[in-house]
Structures are given as C-alpha cells and as structure tokens.
Amino acid sequence: MSLISSIRTIATWEIKRSMTTMGRGILPIAVGLLLLLVLVTAFAAESGLHLQDGMYRIGVDDPGTASIVASDTRFATYQDDAASLWENRFSYDIVIINGEVYAADTDKGRAALNTLERDYESYVASVAAAEPDLFAAYPLWIDLQYVKSEIDFLATQSGQQVGAPVETRRPPSPSLPVEEVTPPSQGRLTTEEELREHLVEAGDGQPLKRYTSLISGESATDRLLTPSELSLPLPFDTIILVFVFIFPLYFTSQFFMMSVMNERVGRAGEALLSTPLRPVAIVVGKALPYFTIMILIAAAITLLARAPLTILLPLVPVILFFLANALIIGMTSRSFKELSFVSIFFSTVATSYLFFPTVFANTHVISIVSPLTLVVIAIQGDGFTAMEYIYSTALFFATSIILFYLGIANFREEHLFSEIRLISRVVDFISTGISRNHPHFSLFLLAAFMIPFVFMAEMLTLVLFFNIPMPLSLLLLTITAAVIEEFAKSIGLYAIVRDRPGFLTPGNLLVGATVTGLGFLVGEKLLLFATLAQITESIFGSILFLSLQALWMPLLLHIAGVLITGGFLLLGGRRAYAPGIVAAGMVHSLYNLYFIGGMLL
Amino acid sequence: MKRRHIYLIAKKEIAGLSSEKTIVFAILLQVFIAMFSSFLMVGLTAMYDPEAIEGYSTVTYRVGYAGAESPLIDEFGERDDLILYRMDLGAALAALRERMVSAVVYVPQTPPDAEGPITVTLYLIQNDLQSGVVNVKIKEVLQGYEEQLRETRADRLIYSPVELNFPDSGGGESFFEFVYGLLIPLLVFLPAIVSAALIIDLITEEYQRQTLETLLSTPIMFTEVIWGKIAACEVLVPVQAGAWLILLWLNGIPVDNATAILLHVSTSGLVLILLGALVALHYRERTSAQFIFSTALVVALLFVMAVPYNPLNLVVRLAVDSIGPIHWYVLALVAAATALLGWAITHYARRVGEKTP
C-alpha cells in the first residue's frame, strides 16, 4: 500500500513540476502555433505542395496539347512552332509535334514520358467520363471481392512466390467439400450517376478523400471499379493514418525523457533520492502521468476518427516501449545534444520498425511484426484475434519490461550523476545485472533476457532488407542476424571483463560461454514458440531462426560464438572485442549459409 | 565582437561534439534514413506504378473462370503467365480458399454490345502479397477486354480526345521522381534541421547546467558565445549535405549544380539555426524550447513547401538541371532574410547578455 501511495505522491509532484517549468508562456504560443498550423494546412491544401514543380521541360506546338499537362505542375510547359521546337529539341525533356511525342533518351526523359503517359490517361478518362453514354466509354466494371483463405497466413509464407504449379491441364479440385454458390447478381449495384461521380472523383485525385473514407469505414470493395483502377492497396494510406497516432505519443515520451534528464541536470534529483522513496516508486510515479496522457491522446484521436476503441490495445505496448526507452535514454545521456541525437536516432529506428511493416498491412504476413498493423486492420473493420495480438505485441511488452527493470535497478545516485560516456554507462547498467557471487547464473539470465532485443533488431533488419531482390536480401539477413546475435551474446562477458579483468580465465570462459549459449537457446525457444511461429514459417524467418532444427547444433553454435569472441577478449584484451565479434559473426554466418544452401538446393 | 572569440567557441563546440561521439549518432541517423529509403522506394514504386511489382514474380498463376463464354477467355489465352481453368463458381471459390488457384473471375451473360455495363466479378485472397501481383496481371487482361468492348461500342461515343502517339518507352523509370523529387531534398535538408535542433541544446545547456557564468568570466562576450555556437552548427550543414551529394554520386545518382545546391542548403540552414537560437535564448529551458521549435518547424516547412519556388523545390530543379538563373534571386531573398535574422539575434543576445550578470 505504501508503494502505491508513494507512486501517487511522485505522480502528483511530477505533474505540478512540469506545469511550472513549462509555464513560461508556453501554452499561449503552443495554441497560437496550433492555429497557425491549421491555417497553413488549409493554405497548403489550397495551393498544393510545390516540391516537384518544373522538374521536366516540355515543348508543345498546340494549346490543346498543352492543356493536357496544364494541371500537372511537374511540367514546365513551353509553346512554340513545330520547326523551332525541333531545332531546340535537346533543351526539352519532351517535345510534342503534331501529336507525336518525342522524349529525350535520358533517365529524366523517360521519367517525364512516364509522367506524361499517366497524365494523358487521366485526361482521356476525364473526357470519357463526360460521354452521355457512359457505358460505351466504360463498358467494363469490376466488382472486386476478397475471399478469406482458410489457411490464411500459412500458405503465403515463402514471401514472394506461392504454389508450385503441379498439374497444368486439369483444373485443381479442392479437397474440402464444395459449397453451392449463387452467382453474383447482375442487377446494377450502383446507379449510373454514382458511377459517373466516382469517375470524376478518381480523375480528380483528391488525396485526402482516401483517408476520410478509410476512417469512415467506407471500403473500396463496396464500389465498382474500372479495370484501370484495379491496383494494389496504396501503402501511403495506412502510413499517414498511423502517423496521426504515433506522432503525439512520440512527442509526449520526449517530455518524460526530459524530465528524467532534468533530475540529473543541476542535480535536482539528489533530494528525491535521499528520501525513503524506493526507485521503483520514483520511476513508475514519474512515468505514470505521461502514460496516462498518451493513452488519453490516443483515445481522443480514436474517438475523433470514429475508429473502434480496440485500436488502443495494440497501442499500449507501443506506449510502454516509448516510455521505457525514454527512461533509459534520459538516464544515460551525458548532455542535451547527446540526448537529442540519441532520441532522434531511436525514434527513427522505432518509427521505421513500426511503420514499414504496415505498408504491407494488406499484402503480407511480415506486416504483423508491427502492432500498428493491428491498428490498421482494426480501422479497416476486420478486427484482430488474440493470437495476432500476442504475435505482434509480445516483443514490445518483453523489451519494455526488461528496460524498465534495468532503469529502476540503476536509478541510483552513483549511476545518475556520474559523467561517463554513453556506451560505458550502458555497459555499467548491464554489469549491475551481473551478480558477483553467481556470475555464471547471471550470464545465463542475461543471455535469455537479451533475446527479445535480438529478435527486435532482427525483425528490423528483416523489415529493412525485405524488398531487396531475393538472394541478396537473404545473404544480408544472414550476416546481420549473425552479427547481432554474436554481439548480444558477448555483451555480458564484455561487461565482466571490463569490471574484473582477472575474471576471464580459460576455464571461466568455457563455463561462461556454455551458460550464455544455454541461456540464449532457452530464451529463444521460449519466445519463439510463444510468439513468432507465423513469421518463422516464411523463408525470411527460417533464415533468422534457423536454430529450430535440432537443439544440440544451435547450442554448439551459440557456445562456439561466445568462445570465439571471448577468446579474442582473452588474448587481445578489450581492444580485440570488435574483431572478435566480426570473427564470431563470420563463423555464425557460414553455419547459417551452409544450412540455407542445404535447404534451398 | 571579435572573430577570434567566435572561432574559439565554435572550435570548442565542435570538439565537444566529436569527443562525445554524438556526431556518430547524427551520421548513423542519416545513413539509416538513406537505408530505409530503399524500402520506401518499393512502396513508392507500387504507388507510382503498381505494374513494377509484377517484376518480382516469375511464376505462372492459375485463375479460375466461371460464368458465360466471353472474349475474355481469349485475352487470358494470350498470356503465358496465367493459366485459365473453366470451373464451376462454387468449386472455383473453394479452390481459391485453399490457394489452388490465385484468383477467380466470374463473367455474366451480358452481350458485348448491350446497353448497360458488363460487370465482371473478381475474387482475390485477402491479406496476401500474391493477390497483389495477380491483381496487376489480371488488370492488364481486363484492360485489353475493355479496349475490345470500347471498340464494339465506339459508334455510341461522341467526344474525341486529343490524340497523342507515344514512343515505345523503356519503362520502369519510376525511381527518378522519387530520388530527385523527394529523396535528394530530404537528404540535403536533413543536416540543416539537425543543426537547428543542435543549437537549441547548445544554448539551453549553458543555462540549465549554469555554466554560462564561468564562460562569461573570460573576456568572451555573450554575443560572441552565441555566434560561436551558431558558427559551429552552420559549418556542419554544407559538410554533411556535401557528403550526401558525393555518396549519391558514388551510387550512380548524379546531381547537377552541386555548388548552388550547397549554397541554398547552407543559407536556409542558417535561417533555421538562427530561429532555433532565438527560441533557445527566449526559453532557456530545453523542453520548452525544443517543443516550440519543432512545432514551429512543422508549420514553417509546410508553409514553405506550399509556396512556389521554395528552396526545396529549387534544390530539386537544380539537381535535375531544369532551372534558369531565377534561383539566384530566391537565394538573395533568403540571404537577406538571414541577415535580418542575424541582426535580430545579435541585438537580442546583447540585451540578454547585459541582463545576465
């Protein structure tokens, strides 16, 4: 009970304090800026964004042709007579004479030609939409229906190609009983007026319309489409939508980070630490107001967007993850600029981890590594299962809890007020986790606790390399995954060597490597079976998590990796750490490549 | 103000940056952004040109066909990457659910020259990358069919659009607009934004750590301290932006008018840095200053982008070499604004400096 009351005390104190430091005329200016933002957004919507204006130079001999590209600001249009156009054709990217299009034979010329073709298509479409007989201009309409596959994710796992063609002459016969299906009715699903309106809208290309319709739940499959409108779901819809949710959360976590930092700057926190309050009460109490504010902001956006409130569920682990990282960054940075750079770097990495998978929200199973995919799915009205929730959030919960624990364990005077380098401080944090009396048991636990971070880093590389052409992406994944794992495994050993150089004897190294390898394997198995079964089924997954095959081989590999790095440390001292990781990473990669080779051939 | 004092402060700040290795994070950050741009590239290609994603697949897909006979069957016959099976609709959908076929098409009994539209139903698997690829392939088939139908019904059309004859393009140039129209301005302006955030930290830190008094007890004046910090931040802008241009060039992305681009970036960067310095001098506390500055930055960037001939657009045009001398006028305008801001900063810093003991 006393813990709860002290958390409450700290929380109220935190709110009061942040109100006073932020007081100095921040609020009116913030409100003013917000109003300004609304005005500027309206202005930008009115005038359009002029980023790519005049990229291409186009010469035309006829005002009718000029009108085709008139609305596309990417073209700087010059009108001239045919003869002089031809004479100066090299100063243009595209020249149109008598309806013949000539493009410069450069990358730019070809890009301009592509753009022109698209403009021409939409011009033709806009002319056709005005036809009195709409169904002569648009005779074919597509009714797009999505079918949920019974074996949903599990079959598309190979990432790029699916279904080896078996029998090509006879139609495939399904194994499950076939249900009688009534053919779709041919009564007009939509009236002619609506279709015409739809065409005008599509030609208009109002980008905002897409987002509003996505939120209001009006799905594209309700309407008929022309064949040219059939296309992949655009990735940017979901990205922008999700950005609305993430940006305020990221911003609020910055305040928490700064509040932690402020405890250290000017040693304001010293008084706090001298009170009988326990570090856990201080950290949780400080974090609580920010957590609450973030949840409230997310809920407010959800309500405003009239989206289902279930999207708050996947946001909770994201918020915790942001706060946990803010705590660690605030505790470890030496100066403001370090804080800025590290936090910007962290947020870029975290944002890309969260966002990029959602680009594939409707296309690929990889997308599930990001909780934000669940947000997108929920907004689209599909909902997500409890299993999917665990799949995509477990890593976030696990890493947040470990980071919070690390932060609380180190929330002590000697760690908060010393001016040491960021990396040394992080190593310090880790070495507090290594018990002096039971170093081997600590190494075992440390290796196991590293697993969520390793998986997260590997997921990030997966996300980054996912769309590089196949053999290369697999190779890159193999190598980076190996280096990440070797780094994570050896960090505990490194921390010990730094504190107690005498610890590292050949015997201790052997035992240390064995327990680390074992801990790694145990952590891997626990988390893998619990969460990532889906992704491990894919070819990308099988490369990251090769170790599922047999138990003794990965165990030996893990131990060997630590032994190599440890050997380098033993012989060359701490300077040899980086070469040691490279060497261990190489061995690890070769092992993995050998198995992929065996698997693919 | 003595130039030597400014130089001393600038040197101190840059030395601090490199000793703290924060600059390493700054570089890592930018490399990371460049790295995921390759990821965005595919996303954007899909947006500009969904057909491009087709290139990722070399497999033959099976498609179920149900309903009435139609010329659509012949259109499918012309493709060698799609195999069509005549099936009963129920069986076809069951096969689709088990992924034995990749798509199902249902064609109604409407004759080609009918009064109304022909509504073809296309069934695809939800949540699937393969569906995307099949979708694109079938789209081409359907467009061919649409073309046929349009010809059948041509006598019912009255308008005739301007005819253009396009040469056979090599195709697949979707990266150009992304790289030159988005990536390059982003990469070269990123150092400017980073530097502006940096000046806030440099100034507020002196206040919050109470190190300013020590610094001012030396013969260095407050305005010189501020300008030294500004100089340190400003120097980083062209260096980093220039490094980007070289890296791009090494990657086979030639950028025209590099000098002019660096001039534009440095000048606009200085505007941002001066604004940051102003905000930092006013608030003297990092949280407030960074909050106000980053909000203001969003407003300012959005506004600038909405104005024709903005510096970002000029960088794009310079990079592809499709601009005349007009960008020099804009540069002069921005430089004038910078000078004005610089004067304001000096004035403000002097006033603040006099108040500070």
Side-chain angles (χ1 to χ4, degrees):
Chain A
M1 198 59 210
S2 75
L3 184 66
I4 292 176
S5 73
S6 46
I7 288 176
R8 208 178 52 211
T9 316
I10 294 286
T12 9
W13 178 74
E14 177 71 31
I15 294 171
K16 270 193 201 134
R17 214 201 43 173
S18 60
M19 290 300 263
T20 47
T21 47
M22 289 283 289
R24 297 178 26 140
I26 283 283
L27 207 60
I29 293 188
V31 171
L33 281 174
L34 210 65
L35 282 177
L36 220 59
L37 184 65
V38 173
L39 285 179
V40 166
T41 313
F43 172 64
E46 183 66 30
S47 115
L49 290 185
H50 297 273
L51 187 60
Q52 301 176 341
D53 281 17
M55 270 183 91
Y56 310 121
R57 299 157 66 93
I58 185 168
V60 295
D61 61 348
D62 160 64
T65 319
S67 69
I68 296 174
V69 292
S71 63
D72 192 335
T73 53
R74 279 171 293 186
F75 286 108
T77 318
Y78 301 88
Q79 205 175 317
D80 211 337
D81 59 275
S84 51
L85 275 181
W86 186 249
E87 201 171 306
N88 300 322
R89 61 188 180 279
F90 294 115
S91 59
Y92 298 107
D93 298 307
I94 288 184
V95 179
I96 305 177
I97 299 168
N98 290 330
E100 285 294 327
V101 181
Y102 303 93
D105 187 24
T106 56
D107 282 351
K108 191 181 168 199
R110 278 184 288 270
L113 189 64
N114 248 353
T115 311
L116 180 66
E117 278 176 24
R118 255 168 256 272
D119 284 346
Y120 183 66
E121 257 174 46
S122 67
Y123 157 76
V124 171
S126 73
V127 172
E131 288 284 349
D133 187 347
L134 182 72
F135 298 127
Y138 287 103
L140 185 62
W141 290 81
I142 312 299
D143 179 15
L144 189 60
Q145 299 284 341
Y146 281 113
V147 171
K148 280 234 186 241
S149 171
E150 244 94 279
I151 31 181
D152 212 343
F153 287 121
L154 294 168
T156 47
Q157 299 307 339
S158 58
Q160 309 270 336
Q161 39 177 282
V162 179
V166 241
E167 172 79 45
T168 47
R169 268 161 293 145
R170 272 188 310 138
S173 51
S175 56
L176 296 168
V178 173
E179 290 167 41
E180 206 45 51
V181 180
T182 41
S185 72
Q186 284 306 305
R188 279 205 200 143
L189 292 169
T190 329
T191 65
E192 187 178 334
E193 292 322 302
E194 274 172 347
L195 290 178
R196 210 181 275 277
E197 222 170 88
H198 160 72
L199 278 175
V200 173
E201 246 171 54
D204 228 18
Q206 274 186 316
L208 279 177
K209 175 87 183 161
R210 307 177 54 96
Y211 309 121
T212 49
S213 70
L214 193 61
I215 288 181
S216 61
E218 177 192 327
S219 103
T221 48
D222 293 349
R223 298 170 311 189
L224 295 181
L225 306 167
T226 64
S228 53
E229 283 175 316
L230 274 180
S231 62
L232 292 174
L234 293 191
F236 281 79
D237 297 7
T238 47
I239 281 215
I240 291 180
L241 193 66
V242 164
F243 195 69
V244 173
F245 278 95
I246 281 307
F247 192 66
L249 300 188
Y250 165 67
F251 228 85
T252 320
S253 79
Q254 286 286 303
F255 290 113
F256 177 55
M257 190 184 294
M258 204 46 215
S259 163
V260 174
M261 179 85 177
N262 276 340
E263 296 294 340
R264 300 167 49 217
V265 174
R267 305 178 79 87
E270 225 162 357
L272 195 63
L273 281 175
S274 61
T275 60
L277 290 168
R278 283 163 54 194
V280 58
I282 300 177
V283 171
V284 174
K286 281 176 87 68
L288 200 60
Y290 299 99
F291 180 78
T292 318
I293 291 171
M294 285 155 103
I295 289 283
L296 287 179
I297 290 175
I301 297 172
T302 312
L303 287 177
L304 274 177
R306 292 205 202 93
L309 276 170
T310 44
I311 64 175
L312 291 180
L313 287 177
L315 285 176
V316 169
V318 176
I319 291 175
L320 284 177
F321 183 70
F322 277 9
L323 285 175
N325 279 287
L327 173 70
I328 297 295
I329 296 172
M331 283 174 70
T332 47
S333 325
R334 246 174 323 171
S335 66
F336 285 174
K337 40 191 191 289
E338 196 163 77
L339 183 84
S340 291
F341 281 122
V342 176
S343 83
I344 294 174
F345 181 69
F346 159 74
S347 66
T348 322
V349 175
T351 315
S352 45
Y353 183 100
L354 286 167
F355 275 90
F356 293 153
T358 59
V359 169
F360 296 95
N362 294 318
T363 42
H364 199 274
V365 61
I366 287 296
S367 66
I368 203 108
V369 304
S370 163
L372 296 188
T373 303
L374 300 184
V375 174
V376 171
I377 292 176
I379 288 178
Q380 286 172 347
D382 290 342
F384 47 85
T385 63
M387 222 40 210
E388 283 169 331
Y389 183 73
I390 295 172
Y391 284 149
S392 67
T393 57
L395 282 182
F396 282 81
F397 276 120
T399 45
S400 315
I401 289 168
I402 296 172
L403 286 178
F404 261 116
Y405 171 75
L406 207 63
I408 291 168
N410 284 287
F411 207 83
R412 286 186 256 144
E413 207 171 359
E414 68 267 29
H415 282 152
L416 283 184
F417 303 115
S418 56
E419 293 267 327
I420 50 172
R421 286 176 49 198
L422 183 76
I423 294 169
S424 322
R425 196 190 286 271
V426 171
V427 177
D428 259 5
F429 276 29
I430 291 170
S431 61
T432 44
I434 298 173
S435 142
R436 282 202 164 254
N437 301 327
H438 308 282
H440 296 304
F441 185 63
S442 304
L443 280 180
F444 173 81
L445 282 184
L446 190 68
F449 281 131
M450 275 289 174
I451 288 294
F453 296 96
V454 169
F455 278 11
M456 220 167 199
E458 291 184 344
M459 286 298 161
L460 187 69
T461 58
L462 176 62
V463 164
L464 281 175
F465 297 145
F466 171 57
N467 52 28
I468 295 174
M470 243 326 200
L472 185 64
S473 67
L474 294 190
L475 191 71
L476 281 173
L477 262 183
T478 314
I479 294 169
T480 44
V483 171
I484 291 170
E485 286 186 16
E486 290 310 326
F487 175 72
K489 278 188 294 188
S490 56
I491 187 89
L493 209 59
Y494 178 80
I496 291 192
V497 171
R498 212 192 54 144
D499 281 3
R500 283 176 276 167
F503 175 83
L504 199 67
T505 58
N508 266 344
L509 172 61
L510 198 64
V511 182
T514 312
V515 291
T516 305
L518 208 61
F520 211 70
L521 196 72
V522 168
E524 205 170 41
K525 294 290 166 253
L526 282 178
L527 198 62
L528 211 51
F529 284 130
T531 63
L532 297 165
Q534 289 210 341
I535 287 151
T536 49
E537 298 279 315
S538 81
I539 186 139
F540 291 108
S542 47
I543 280 167
L544 289 183
F545 312 113
L546 258 182
S547 40
L548 275 172
Q549 291 155 343
L551 283 178
W552 61 272
M553 282 205 304
L555 180 61
L556 277 187
L557 173 74
H558 286 324
I559 295 173
V562 188
L563 275 179
I564 294 172
T565 328
F568 270 76
L569 277 174
L570 187 66
L571 297 174
R574 274 160 51 201
R575 278 171 186 280
Y577 184 54
I581 287 178
V582 172
M586 254 157 60
V587 172
H588 196 142
S589 314
L590 286 176
Y591 168 92
N592 281 6
L593 285 173
Y594 173 76
F595 272 95
I596 296 160
M599 205 171 61
L600 293 182
L601 292 176
Chain B
M1 283 200 286
K2 285 193 186 140
R3 205 169 296 157
R4 204 187 125 62
H5 289 169
I6 295 175
Y7 170 74
L8 276 177
I9 296 281
K11 213 173 90 175
K12 180 201 105 178
E13 295 296 353
I14 287 183
L17 274 178
S18 53
S19 79
E20 259 181 10
K21 306 261 185 336
T22 34
I23 204 77
V24 176
F25 270 98
I27 292 165
L28 270 180
L29 168 79
Q30 299 183 33
V31 169
F32 193 80
I33 288 178
M35 229 163 101
F36 70 56
S37 65
S38 76
F39 188 96
L40 275 183
M41 204 107 111
V42 171
L44 265 152
T45 317
M47 183 167 121
Y48 273 54
D49 182 15
E51 281 80 3
I53 210 152
E54 207 187 350
Y56 284 86
S57 144
T58 49
V59 184
T60 311
Y61 293 101
R62 299 190 281 184
V63 179
Y65 183 98
E69 286 281 341
S70 77
L72 192 57
I73 297 178
D74 304 329
E75 289 283 339
F76 271 107
E78 282 170 26
R79 306 278 303 210
D80 47 10
D81 50 355
L82 294 172
I83 305 174
L84 203 63
Y85 296 107
R86 299 294 312 264
M87 293 169 90
D88 183 57
L89 185 61
L93 287 181
L96 180 65
R97 268 193 280 272
E98 288 177 35
R99 292 174 189 270
M100 295 175 136
V101 293
S102 309
V104 172
V105 186
Y106 174 83
V107 179
Q109 216 114 35
T110 326
D113 52 354
E115 191 62 32
I118 298 178
T119 311
V120 168
T121 314
L122 173 64
Y123 298 91
L124 290 171
I125 299 170
Q126 199 163 20
N127 269 337
D128 191 278
L129 184 64
Q130 186 202 355
S131 283
V133 179
V134 173
N135 182 335
V136 173
K137 287 183 191 287
I138 291 182
K139 174 185 172 178
E140 289 166 5
V141 175
L142 288 170
Q143 276 181 318
Y145 184 40
E146 184 186 41
E147 202 59 42
Q148 262 192 41
L149 288 174
R150 264 191 196 153
E151 264 164 44
T152 315
R153 301 179 179 193
D155 50 343
R156 285 150 61 182
L157 296 172
I158 54 169
Y159 295 120
S160 50
V162 177
E163 292 248 358
L164 287 189
N165 282 328
F166 287 95
D168 286 333
S169 67
E173 291 304 323
S174 321
F175 291 151
F176 186 88
E177 273 185 17
F178 171 69
V179 169
Y180 285 91
L182 208 63
L183 187 62
I184 289 180
L186 175 74
L187 287 182
V188 298
F189 274 102
L190 201 64
I193 293 172
V194 168
S195 276
L198 185 64
I199 188 86
I200 296 182
D201 290 343
L202 292 183
I203 294 177
T204 52
E205 191 146 47
E206 300 280 0
Y207 279 108
Q208 278 187 276
R209 286 205 187 267
Q210 287 144 22
T211 43
L212 202 57
E213 287 148 44
T214 331
L215 199 59
L216 290 183
S217 63
T218 62
I220 299 178
M221 274 161 40
F222 187 65
T223 37
E224 292 165 348
V225 172
I226 298 298
W227 274 103
K229 288 174 189 291
I230 291 173
C233 295
E234 171 67 9
V235 163
L236 296 175
V237 177
V239 171
Q240 290 183 80
W244 273 127
L245 294 184
I246 292 171
L247 281 176
L248 283 167
W249 177 68
L250 288 178
N251 269 305
I253 300 171
V255 176
D256 279 311
N257 303 311
T259 326
I261 289 179
L262 289 185
L263 275 175
H264 274 279
V265 173
S266 310
T267 325
S268 311
L270 191 53
V271 172
L272 291 182
I273 293 170
L274 290 174
L275 284 176
L278 209 57
V279 173
L281 277 178
H282 181 73
Y283 286 106
R284 298 175 197 184
E285 193 264 322
R286 182 183 177 271
T287 320
S288 317
Q290 288 283 22
F291 174 67
I292 290 297
F293 179 74
S294 42
T295 321
L297 187 67
V298 173
V299 175
L301 277 184
L302 198 59
F303 176 75
V304 164
M305 296 245 277
V307 177
Y309 291 99
N310 59 69
L312 286 118
N313 175 232
L314 291 178
V315 165
V316 171
R317 289 197 197 194
L318 282 166
V320 298
D321 198 21
S322 39
I323 187 157
I326 185 163
H327 71 98
W328 294 116
Y329 302 115
V330 181
L331 187 63
L333 211 69
V334 178
T338 318
L340 206 69
L341 255 176
W343 175 81
I345 284 276
T346 315
H347 195 72
Y348 191 67
R350 190 167 295 148
R351 238 184 50 202
V352 173
E354 275 161 13
K355 272 189 214 154
T356 323

